[in-house]
Amino acid sequence: MSIAFLTAMRSKDPSMQVGACIVNGLNRIIGVGYNGMPSGCPNEELPWAKTSPQGYLETKYPYVVHAEVNAIMNKNAESCIGCRLYCTLFPCNECAKVIIQAGITHVIYTSDKHHERESSKASRRLFELAGVKMTQHVPEQTSLLLPLRYADEDARSHKGAVCEGPCSCSGLHRPAERCRQGGDSLAWSLTAVAAASSLVAASAGATRWKARQGLIQILGHPRFMLAAGNSARYRGTRFWSALLRKR
């Protein structure tokens, strides 16, 4: 399921990022996908709005390919028969039809926020008739921290890390120490997280998506990881995860 959520982050949809991951009987990933425009269709040329005064054709719904369909189309195996599908959101009825036709026998989902929609009711009816098992995954924690370097490399490489803070320093210094030009790594990290979080909360549409991506980069930056420490890093990640769930 973590792979599905990680894949969802590639989506350009400013209101809902959905991911899917297909796993076979050997527990090998054979396909991943996220919601997005069809291949060859520029994202900026089609609307991402959920509603529009100009009508249905100026919303995203006629154009977006859902994560489940993309995962099936992107599979690197001959068949999906007997496979499991992990998805961050319960599939709609259109995706349910494709899932059944592909031979997938088990759907594991996290969010069922659209439980009362007609499309979700139709999906459950189709899955029950086709014998597709449905399981809601309830994670034990709300976020997952993914380090982007090995621990034994930190001690060697951070000794001469380049300062990327707001100061004018162009020299090398330890990220956990105060910069020679006055830039404090810890203060810079926490201030950057607070500023980006506020921007995400106050923005909408494409602006919010850009702010969200910037916040992700800050939280995953080695400088924040070292300087802020586990406690501050955990608080920042937890706040960011809760904030994004309020879309």
Side-chain angles (χ1 to χ4, degrees):
M1 187 62 74
S2 298
I3 296 295
F5 274 99
L6 184 63
T7 304
M9 295 172 67
R10 291 182 57 86
S11 174
K12 304 300 187 296
D13 192 326
S15 61
M16 174 62 70
Q17 295 80 39
V18 182
C21 177
I22 303 173
V23 179
N24 65 14
L26 298 175
N27 291 325
R28 294 175 180 170
I29 296 173
I30 66 169
V32 295
Y34 56 90
N35 56 322
M37 298 301 177
S39 299
C41 297
N43 293 306
E44 62 275 8
E45 297 296 328
L46 292 170
W48 286 104
K50 301 173 71 173
T51 60
S52 173
Q54 285 76 39
Y56 180 68
L57 291 180
E58 290 305 313
T59 68
K60 65 180 180 178
Y61 298 111
Y63 313 109
V64 170
V65 182
H66 286 188
E68 300 90 333
V69 174
N70 274 326
I72 293 171
M73 296 301 295
N74 292 337
K75 69 180 186 301
N76 58 9
E78 180 180 354
S79 173
C80 291
I81 293 176
C83 291
R84 306 187 304 276
L85 173 71
Y86 292 84
C87 47
T88 59
L89 183 67
F90 188 79
C92 70
N93 61 306
E94 294 298 325
C95 289
K97 289 184 266 188
V98 177
I99 290 168
I100 293 169
Q101 292 298 88
I104 291 171
T105 57
H106 191 182
V107 172
I108 302 99
Y109 60 95
T110 297
S111 175
D112 195 15
K113 62 189 293 184
H114 301 148
H115 182 85
E116 296 303 321
R117 287 188 180 180
E118 298 297 323
S119 60
S120 294
K121 294 178 180 179
S123 295
R124 289 192 291 273
R125 185 176 183 181
L126 287 169
F127 286 148
E128 289 171 357
L129 290 172
V132 176
K133 184 179 179 181
M134 295 168 282
T135 303
Q136 183 168 18
H137 172 70
V138 181
E140 296 181 356
Q141 55 189 40
T142 59
S143 61
L144 179 66
L145 180 63
L146 181 65
L148 299 180
R149 63 168 61 238
Y150 294 108
D152 60 344
E153 289 183 332
D154 289 342
R156 296 196 303 269
S157 60
H158 284 170
K159 184 176 181 180
V162 177
C163 174
E164 297 179 12
C167 63
S168 59
C169 172
S170 59
L172 303 179
H173 66 281
R174 295 179 184 271
E177 298 176 349
R178 183 178 297 272
C179 174
R180 288 194 297 265
Q181 295 284 341
D184 185 277
S185 296
L186 176 56
W188 173 82
S189 298
L190 298 181
T191 301
V193 169
S197 299
S198 299
L199 184 58
V200 173
S203 304
T207 302
R208 185 178 191 184
W209 179 84
K210 291 179 180 178
R212 174 180 174 273
Q213 295 302 108
L215 180 54
I216 292 170
Q217 292 179 5
I218 294 171
L219 290 172
H221 198 285
R223 187 159 182 222
F224 173 77
M225 294 168 128
L226 280 180
N230 291 332
S231 178
R233 179 176 63 213
Y234 172 72
R235 289 197 301 272
T237 306
R238 182 175 58 183
F239 171 76
W240 161 71
S241 300
L243 183 66
L244 294 184
R245 284 199 300 274
K246 295 180 181 179
R247 289 189 297 263

